[in-house]
Amino acid sequence: MGLDRSALLGAIERLHEKMPTHFDTLNAADGKLGDGDLGITMTRGMAEITAVRDDLPEDLGLAMLKCSQAFTKSSGSSYGTLMALGMMAIAKQIKGQTAVEPSELTALVAVARDQIQTRGKAEIGGKTVLDSLDAIAKQTMGMVDLEDIRTAAVVAVDEALAAFRDKPATMGRARMFGEKSIGLDDPGMLAMKFIVYAIAGRSV
Amino acid sequence: MGLDRSALLGAIERLHEKMPTHFDTLNAADGKLGDGDLGITMTRGMAEITAVRDDLPEDLGLAMLKCSQAFTKSSGSSYGTLMALGMMAIAKQIKGQTAVEPSELTALVAVARDQIQTRGKAEIGGKTVLDSLDAIAKQTMGMVDLEDIRTAAVVAVDEALAAFRDKPATMGRARMFGEKSIGLDDPGMLAMKFIVYAIAGRSV
Amino acid sequence: MKKILNSAADYVDEMLAGLVAAHPEYYRLHGDSGKVVARAREGTRGKVGIVTGGGSGHLPVFTGYVGGGLLDACAIGDVFSSPSAEQMADAIRSADQGAGVLRLYGNYGGDILNFDMAGDLVEFDEITCTTVLLTDDIASAPPEEHEKRRGVAGMVYAFKMAGAAAEDGRDLEAVTAIAQKAADSCRSIGVALSSCTVPQAGKPTFEIADDEIEMGMGIHGEPGIWRGKLRTADEIATEMMERLLADIPLAGGDRVSIMVNSLGATPPEELYILYNEVKAALEATGATIVMPLVGRYATSMEMAGVSFTLCKLDEELETLLTAPCDCAFWRV
Amino acid sequence: MKKILNSAADYVDEMLAGLVAAHPEYYRLHGDSGKVVARAREGTRGKVGIVTGGGSGHLPVFTGYVGGGLLDACAIGDVFSSPSAEQMADAIRSADQGAGVLRLYGNYGGDILNFDMAGDLVEFDEITCTTVLLTDDIASAPPEEHEKRRGVAGMVYAFKMAGAAAEDGRDLEAVTAIAQKAADSCRSIGVALSSCTVPQAGKPTFEIADDEIEMGMGIHGEPGIWRGKLRTADEIATEMMERLLADIPLAGGDRVSIMVNSLGATPPEELYILYNEVKAALEATGATIVMPLVGRYATSMEMAGVSFTLCKLDEELETLLTAPCDCAFWRV
Ligand SMILES: Nc1ncnc2c1ncn2[C@@H]1O[C@H](COP(=O)(O)OP(=O)(O)O)[C@@H](O)[C@H]1O
Ligand SMILES: Nc1ncnc2c1ncn2[C@@H]1O[C@H](COP(=O)(O)OP(=O)(O)O)[C@@H](O)[C@H]1O
Ligand SMILES: [Mg+2]
Ligand SMILES: [Mg+2]
Ligand SMILES: [Mg+2]
Ligand SMILES: [Mg+2]
């Protein structure tokens, strides 16, 4: 059973529906360690993707490319741009496919992670969204069953948040907060948790 | 027993000493019907007069002229300028005298009132300091005993405040408040009350 | 009181010291009072002088507009209070170049008393003075009593036009007539969102709820037309434009300038948002907008709010409005 | 949220619409995004283009500085957030006159990601791009890590100097070198008294007590060096000048410009009060002050507070600083 356009649309819909719930949470988390706009970024980005959802082609690569472009259409926030870079990397990888096997998912997450690292110049272990992606890639490695992958990804984002909560931030605006960032969730990692939960169809 | 330089100095000192007590009251009264600076005006004016008190000449006319100039030295608030105009009119009247009989006081208040009216272009009955001065002039008319005059003047400023409290303002910034000024004391009349009480040596 | 200052008593003196220190090419202090600002360079003999005066706390008004093609001198008082007659007399003396001096200022009781007294004082110097009062604030009195209205941001237009006429070499009578025409052509209205604090008072001049605005409020917190809930930019602009246009109707072919002015804290972003509706309202009358002024031209320190000033132009006023001028706050 | 707007979502679009409507002689919108502002008139063929970009809410930064002797185009994002790479690419395309384009902007992660991506995009158009990042905020990293510092008001000097060099006909390499020299010559520090509100967030970006200030706070509310009770103007200015001068020592004979900049709500009166001590501190080093800039040059909407930017000049930079420039917010 491969993942196809309708699976993508379902994931988009679930995440979009959750945005009102996450709006304040993400703004507040980003407010503590940055400029307080991450809820806005995610809400806008998902609204733009939702606006093009009916036009998404069957070709999953082209569909991801379109999502990537839509996500950054109106804003160039760090997170939005990093997400777009990741989606574009995935798009390149699956261009021409109308379905993706669950077993391919780990590699796609890894490809997104690597591209984000290349352009964002952050280190793995620096308490950014990279660490969430890295955790997902590692936890889901070798899995073939979609339900197993979902569970593992959800566990991964939660564990990553817990593992980095008490480390200091090193990148982006949060870096400025140094020691004060200890004990606080990285907003981008928190956003990735919400993304993964929604894609996996779990409620937060 | 005539009033002389030392009586003037005594009055100045009593009023100056009271300024910290009246500062907020006058600012607040003026704040409700104007720009809230009447406590500042009075405090500054009295500070400037106090600063020149040792240089005040025996000639009461010249002394009043000096007070008038000092009062407006640093500010040109309506009230300060009107007071200065009044003092200057009195100064003209008593130039060359080193003492003033109590029986002359009524005429001096009237002279100040008239000059203030000429330059300020307000009507008697318009709920301004003019009405306080007018009440004093009328209440003290014909009196010769200083203590009687003091009592009458104190009664006059109080009665004037009471009589005009429930009328609408017609001049200066307070005019703008129209009906809203009903029930509120005119700040300039209130200031005149404090002036008269201090000159008369009564506590408010 | 959250202000950056050293002492409330020195607020104005230190502000003026800093102003002339930062812009010695434009301003200098004249006389002993420390409260009279004149142009950096002596004026041209025979040019009509223009002076203004009023309370501090309104930069660029009043002092800021001393400069080429604008004012010659300004007497400045404490925050929101009139300078003294003696200071005004000093300003008049410094502005006089033998051709007389126009006193051009806002219709406030204290200022009138003092400028009148200053006129008495400079009579001894044989200086001829004329007076034009700004009465542009339509919220402060009905049209029938327009001579009772306060002067607000409209004075910027009057400074500019009279200043250009004086620079052009016109005589006192002509400059005064221009100033009067400019004053008669301006209508203003303001809306306040938050108060400011007079340093020496130490607390906000008025209280206003966190979700309230006051339409028609004066620049010193004088009461307005209504107080109510905050509305949208379009609603605010529409009401203000309706009120202005009711007071000075426009028709197709008219030429007007409009000032969208921040009272202080309101950022230019919000002024530009308002400008869309302002422009639409003006163009709906068929009038053409000339040289719109969007920015901080007349303020009340950190007060939040805006004022609009509509200035109806004829050919003469338009020429004078667009003529060059130069001060630290405005250059045309 | 006490702001004059119609809807938070339309804040920037309406602001830009108003800006170009009010000043069509300076600005026009370029491209489809509605978020790229270019000079009103097409540029001269062969002139090096200069573009910048960043979040809205800082007027006159960024958009305001598009103009003669300054920038050619600007991509502007939502309040406090980066424009998209596609918008930046549009700005670069509009600025290109065949002589290449300098990307001159502040050191913020999001802006860098997007300007890099924009560079990839315009490679297809065969436009050569260079980059200079502003890193003038000394509170944001120690001197050893100066490349990590944020860019703040220092960018105004860089825009001015690079802009003058480009207007002068210099090539991309030379203009880039000037911009880098300007960036290296600037040091800034800010102090915040109150927050501002990002329209879409709806509440103040940070909380600060009524009697507290934060030294070194960033223009988006990034944390500073200390938070404590409000001090006097002289104390604040002294500390800020000491910190700047520790980072960029001056000696007799040096020539410097200084910007005393309001973050938005702080009125010019307070800036001039501060300027007295700023001037004294600079002159105590033996340095000479050239063209001090006192006003609102880089803001955060209605935030109260000030920033100082010290710009050490050599002959070349001084000439470029004092060369003419012209936009709706600044004219030299
Ligand atoms: N260079 C980077 N590499 C990886 N992740 C980053 C980088 N910069 C920021 N992030 C992530 O983005 C999140 C902040 O996103 P966002 O709020 O959009 O930033 P900003 O508002 O500062 O542009 C951080 O919590 C972090 O997870
Ligand atoms: N034209 C006038 N004639 C008489 N009294 C006046 C006049 N204008 C103002 N006043 C008096 O002055 C008081 C206000 O003084 P002040 O606060 O100094 O005014 P402002 O601050 O508006 O200059 C009023 O309460 C009134 O008693
Ligand atoms: Mg953010
Ligand atoms: Mg008053
Ligand atoms: Mg007053
Ligand atoms: Mg952001």
PDB file of all heavy atoms in Angstrom, chain A residues 30 35-38 41 77-78 173, chain D residues 79-82, ligand 6:
ATOM      1  N   ASP A  30       7.814  30.705  20.391  1.00  0.00           N
ATOM      2  CA  ASP A  30       8.754  31.519  19.626  1.00  0.00           C
ATOM      3  C   ASP A  30       8.933  32.897  20.292  1.00  0.00           C
ATOM      4  O   ASP A  30       9.993  33.505  20.191  1.00  0.00           O
ATOM      5  CB  ASP A  30       8.236  31.672  18.193  1.00  0.00           C
ATOM      6  CG  ASP A  30       9.283  32.262  17.257  1.00  0.00           C
ATOM      7  OD1 ASP A  30      10.483  31.986  17.460  1.00  0.00           O
ATOM      8  OD2 ASP A  30       8.897  33.007  16.337  1.00  0.00           O
ATOM      9  N   ASP A  35      10.986  35.870  17.826  1.00  0.00           N
ATOM     10  CA  ASP A  35      10.127  37.016  17.549  1.00  0.00           C
ATOM     11  C   ASP A  35       8.648  36.685  17.612  1.00  0.00           C
ATOM     12  O   ASP A  35       7.813  37.513  17.248  1.00  0.00           O
ATOM     13  CB  ASP A  35      10.487  37.613  16.191  1.00  0.00           C
ATOM     14  CG  ASP A  35      10.359  36.589  15.091  1.00  0.00           C
ATOM     15  OD1 ASP A  35      10.056  35.431  15.404  1.00  0.00           O
ATOM     16  OD2 ASP A  35      10.566  36.947  13.925  1.00  0.00           O
ATOM     17  N   GLY A  36       8.330  35.492  18.059  1.00  0.00           N
ATOM     18  CA  GLY A  36       6.932  35.208  18.338  1.00  0.00           C
ATOM     19  C   GLY A  36       6.047  35.042  17.125  1.00  0.00           C
ATOM     20  O   GLY A  36       4.845  35.289  17.204  1.00  0.00           O
ATOM     21  N   ASP A  37       6.614  34.627  16.004  1.00  0.00           N
ATOM     22  CA  ASP A  37       5.799  34.564  14.786  1.00  0.00           C
ATOM     23  C   ASP A  37       5.632  33.158  14.228  1.00  0.00           C
ATOM     24  O   ASP A  37       5.091  32.998  13.139  1.00  0.00           O
ATOM     25  CB  ASP A  37       6.391  35.484  13.716  1.00  0.00           C
ATOM     26  CG  ASP A  37       7.763  35.016  13.256  1.00  0.00           C
ATOM     27  OD1 ASP A  37       8.289  34.032  13.808  1.00  0.00           O
ATOM     28  OD2 ASP A  37       8.319  35.661  12.341  1.00  0.00           O
ATOM     29  N   LEU A  38       6.062  32.145  14.958  1.00  0.00           N
ATOM     30  CA  LEU A  38       6.063  30.818  14.349  1.00  0.00           C
ATOM     31  C   LEU A  38       4.648  30.291  14.122  1.00  0.00           C
ATOM     32  O   LEU A  38       4.398  29.594  13.132  1.00  0.00           O
ATOM     33  CB  LEU A  38       6.910  29.843  15.186  1.00  0.00           C
ATOM     34  CG  LEU A  38       7.258  28.525  14.494  1.00  0.00           C
ATOM     35  CD1 LEU A  38       7.901  28.748  13.135  1.00  0.00           C
ATOM     36  CD2 LEU A  38       8.167  27.696  15.381  1.00  0.00           C
ATOM     37  N   THR A  41       3.638  31.913  10.916  1.00  0.00           N
ATOM     38  CA  THR A  41       4.301  31.265   9.780  1.00  0.00           C
ATOM     39  C   THR A  41       3.611  29.965   9.401  1.00  0.00           C
ATOM     40  O   THR A  41       3.291  29.720   8.232  1.00  0.00           O
ATOM     41  CB  THR A  41       5.772  30.964  10.136  1.00  0.00           C
ATOM     42  OG1 THR A  41       6.430  32.188  10.400  1.00  0.00           O
ATOM     43  CG2 THR A  41       6.467  30.214   9.014  1.00  0.00           C
ATOM     44  N   SER A  77       9.966  33.580   6.583  1.00  0.00           N
ATOM     45  CA  SER A  77      10.475  33.279   7.920  1.00  0.00           C
ATOM     46  C   SER A  77      11.472  32.140   7.827  1.00  0.00           C
ATOM     47  O   SER A  77      11.425  31.330   6.896  1.00  0.00           O
ATOM     48  CB  SER A  77       9.320  32.863   8.821  1.00  0.00           C
ATOM     49  OG  SER A  77       8.855  31.605   8.390  1.00  0.00           O
ATOM     50  N   SER A  78      12.377  32.077   8.766  1.00  0.00           N
ATOM     51  CA  SER A  78      13.400  31.033   8.749  1.00  0.00           C
ATOM     52  C   SER A  78      12.748  29.675   8.610  1.00  0.00           C
ATOM     53  O   SER A  78      13.120  28.864   7.760  1.00  0.00           O
ATOM     54  CB  SER A  78      14.207  31.049  10.049  1.00  0.00           C
ATOM     55  OG  SER A  78      14.788  32.300  10.235  1.00  0.00           O
ATOM     56  N   ARG A 173      17.476  33.210  16.141  1.00  0.00           N
ATOM     57  CA  ARG A 173      17.295  34.221  17.175  1.00  0.00           C
ATOM     58  C   ARG A 173      17.463  33.631  18.573  1.00  0.00           C
ATOM     59  O   ARG A 173      17.869  34.321  19.505  1.00  0.00           O
ATOM     60  CB  ARG A 173      15.875  34.778  17.109  1.00  0.00           C
ATOM     61  CG  ARG A 173      15.582  35.543  15.839  1.00  0.00           C
ATOM     62  CD  ARG A 173      14.145  36.054  15.885  1.00  0.00           C
ATOM     63  NE  ARG A 173      13.672  36.382  14.547  1.00  0.00           N
ATOM     64  CZ  ARG A 173      13.753  37.590  14.008  1.00  0.00           C
ATOM     65  NH1 ARG A 173      14.265  38.567  14.686  1.00  0.00           N
ATOM     66  NH2 ARG A 173      13.326  37.814  12.787  1.00  0.00           N
TER      67      ARG A 173
ATOM     68  N   VAL D  79       5.446  41.811   8.996  1.00  0.00           N
ATOM     69  CA  VAL D  79       6.075  42.490  10.118  1.00  0.00           C
ATOM     70  C   VAL D  79       7.082  41.563  10.792  1.00  0.00           C
ATOM     71  O   VAL D  79       6.750  40.448  11.198  1.00  0.00           O
ATOM     72  CB  VAL D  79       5.008  42.960  11.123  1.00  0.00           C
ATOM     73  CG1 VAL D  79       5.667  43.537  12.364  1.00  0.00           C
ATOM     74  CG2 VAL D  79       4.121  44.007  10.468  1.00  0.00           C
ATOM     75  N   PHE D  80       8.282  42.034  10.852  1.00  0.00           N
ATOM     76  CA  PHE D  80       9.393  41.332  11.510  1.00  0.00           C
ATOM     77  C   PHE D  80       9.706  39.983  10.887  1.00  0.00           C
ATOM     78  O   PHE D  80      10.324  39.148  11.531  1.00  0.00           O
ATOM     79  CB  PHE D  80       9.138  41.132  13.011  1.00  0.00           C
ATOM     80  CG  PHE D  80       9.113  42.408  13.808  1.00  0.00           C
ATOM     81  CD1 PHE D  80       9.292  43.638  13.216  1.00  0.00           C
ATOM     82  CD2 PHE D  80       8.920  42.361  15.186  1.00  0.00           C
ATOM     83  CE1 PHE D  80       9.271  44.810  13.957  1.00  0.00           C
ATOM     84  CE2 PHE D  80       8.897  43.530  15.948  1.00  0.00           C
ATOM     85  CZ  PHE D  80       9.073  44.747  15.328  1.00  0.00           C
ATOM     86  N   SER D  81       9.268  39.737   9.643  1.00  0.00           N
ATOM     87  CA  SER D  81       9.703  38.469   9.071  1.00  0.00           C
ATOM     88  C   SER D  81      10.161  38.661   7.642  1.00  0.00           C
ATOM     89  O   SER D  81       9.709  39.527   6.903  1.00  0.00           O
ATOM     90  CB  SER D  81       8.633  37.397   9.211  1.00  0.00           C
ATOM     91  OG  SER D  81       7.472  37.755   8.541  1.00  0.00           O
ATOM     92  N   SER D  82      11.056  37.818   7.280  1.00  0.00           N
ATOM     93  CA  SER D  82      11.748  37.910   6.006  1.00  0.00           C
ATOM     94  C   SER D  82      10.783  37.855   4.826  1.00  0.00           C
ATOM     95  O   SER D  82       9.790  37.140   4.874  1.00  0.00           O
ATOM     96  CB  SER D  82      12.682  36.706   5.938  1.00  0.00           C
ATOM     97  OG  SER D  82      13.833  36.987   5.249  1.00  0.00           O
TER      98      SER D  82
HETATM   99 MG    MG E   6      10.302  35.852  12.170  1.00  0.00          MG
END
